[in-house]
Amino acid sequence: MNHHPKVSIVTVCYNSEKYIEDCIKSIMRQTYDNVEHIIVDGGSTDGTLDIIKKYENQYNMRWISEKDNGMYDAITKGFKMASGEIYAWLNSDDMYMPWACELVAIVMEKTGIQWCTGIPCHYNERGVAHNVPRITPVFPRNFIRKGYMDGRVATFLEQESMFWSKNLWDKAGHVLAQYKIAGDYHLWKEFAKYEPLYTLDSVISGFRIHTGQKSGDREKYYAEAGQLNFTKTLLSKFKIISLSIVIHSLFTRTQRIRTKRYLMD
């Protein structure tokens, strides 16, 4: 990967005036200076566009507003506009920590890893972070590839903390636009065919929990993720995969990135 790689962040939105300013500010305030922000609006009719226009000349941001065929179609459209070597998407109601892009860029440049996440956390409606795990979770590649990380068999993989290379996206990103609500789940499965997921020992983003969010529709999500077969039902009932992930996280060194090592170089 090139020295000082550009990070391209896509945000899609539709009538997102309540939270999008927080999202924009979190990207504006990144400590890393090689970031582009691409906002793909679906034709908002509230104050979303006014907020976007307010910030368009204050940092490296481009935006379009037009109808789309759903969230993942809009995300795919955004990445077609991207010019960076590292990709991510941040939903309009989520936020990055100020050091997120700098930490990811340094680690991906120095290690050559293609896909990483951070320690997950949640935000409440006011944007206060909470629910941070006591250990750095590490997710076996085989578990992701087999579709265990769906919130039933084991925990979800938190999309807002994911970063990956353009190279990996070019191999696997085509699957995303096939879905309406569980596209991230299928994208992670596709990524895992090519690369392991590494976890940085730092909180870099968080998932905001609030009423009315699209990810709250579990019935539709699981319809796209697929029904549990007999094996997955047993694994879910007895928490076997969840326990395995905890044990793996405590003892493995191969997929955990100790970021202090790279920050001190």
Side-chain angles (χ1 to χ4, degrees):
M1 185 170 288
N2 291 339
H3 177 67
H4 203 60
K6 179 185 287 187
V7 180
S8 296
I9 301 163
V10 171
T11 296
V12 301
C13 57
Y14 178 73
N15 289 346
S16 304
E17 64 179 1
K18 185 173 183 180
Y19 298 116
I20 194 168
E21 192 162 21
D22 288 344
C23 173
I24 288 172
K25 286 181 176 179
S26 81
I27 297 174
M28 284 182 61
R29 293 169 178 168
Q30 289 298 297
T31 57
Y32 191 59
D33 62 359
N34 197 12
V35 177
E36 68 173 359
H37 190 195
I38 300 164
I39 301 177
V40 182
D41 177 78
S44 291
T45 57
D46 63 355
T48 299
L49 293 180
D50 292 332
I51 295 170
I52 293 171
K53 292 174 183 177
K54 174 182 173 182
Y55 291 99
E56 66 178 329
N57 295 317
Q58 297 190 33
Y59 72 116
N60 186 17
M61 181 261 282
R62 291 176 286 154
W63 65 276
I64 59 173
S65 181
E66 59 189 30
K67 290 184 178 180
D68 52 57
N69 292 318
M71 174 175 64
Y72 297 120
D73 173 63
I75 290 169
T76 301
K77 188 185 304 182
F79 285 127
K80 288 180 180 178
M81 300 168 59
S83 60
E85 296 135 291
I86 298 172
Y87 284 3
W89 88 71
L90 185 67
N91 290 332
S92 60
D93 51 356
D94 294 329
M95 297 175 287
Y96 285 137
M97 298 300 179
W99 54 84
C101 291
E102 180 176 7
L103 191 60
V104 167
I106 290 172
V107 169
M108 290 186 71
E109 176 193 346
K110 291 185 176 181
T111 64
I113 65 173
Q114 300 294 300
W115 182 27
C116 66
T117 188
I119 298 173
C121 80
H122 292 154
Y123 298 123
N124 66 11
E125 291 207 31
R126 300 188 308 278
V128 178
H130 63 99
N131 198 27
V132 181
R134 295 183 180 181
I135 61 173
T136 301
V138 179
F139 307 101
R141 181 179 178 183
N142 198 39
F143 287 1
I144 303 172
R145 192 167 56 229
K146 289 184 175 181
Y148 293 160
M149 315 305 299
D150 67 351
R152 297 171 295 183
V153 178
T155 186
F156 293 105
L157 295 176
E158 303 265 348
Q159 162 270 319
E160 67 283 346
S161 295
M162 292 288 189
F163 289 79
W164 58 90
S165 68
K166 178 184 184 299
N167 181 57
L168 184 57
W169 173 262
D170 288 344
K171 292 178 181 177
H174 60 89
V175 305
L176 191 65
Q178 301 173 29
Y179 302 96
K180 295 295 183 183
I181 196 168
D184 50 346
Y185 166 78
H186 290 284
L187 183 63
W188 312 147
K189 286 177 61 179
E190 194 72 14
F191 278 0
K193 292 179 181 178
Y194 300 98
E195 296 288 341
L197 174 64
Y198 292 83
T199 305
L200 312 185
D201 63 350
S202 175
V203 176
I204 56 177
S205 185
F207 176 73
R208 193 194 300 255
I209 299 174
H210 61 88
T211 56
Q213 61 196 143
K214 197 166 187 176
S215 58
D217 194 338
R218 294 292 178 90
E219 184 176 341
K220 290 182 179 179
Y221 182 93
Y222 290 135
E224 281 196 359
Q227 298 300 313
L228 294 180
N229 58 26
F230 179 74
T231 300
K232 287 185 177 180
T233 299
L234 287 179
L235 293 173
S236 175
K237 181 178 180 179
F238 295 105
K239 308 296 182 185
I240 295 171
I241 299 301
S242 296
L243 180 60
S244 297
I245 289 172
V246 171
I247 295 171
H248 187 69
S249 299
L250 286 171
F251 295 105
T252 188
R253 296 183 179 182
T254 57
Q255 289 175 252
R256 182 189 296 116
I257 302 292
R258 298 191 181 279
T259 53
K260 180 179 179 181
R261 171 184 174 185
Y262 300 101
L263 293 173
M264 295 181 68
D265 285 351

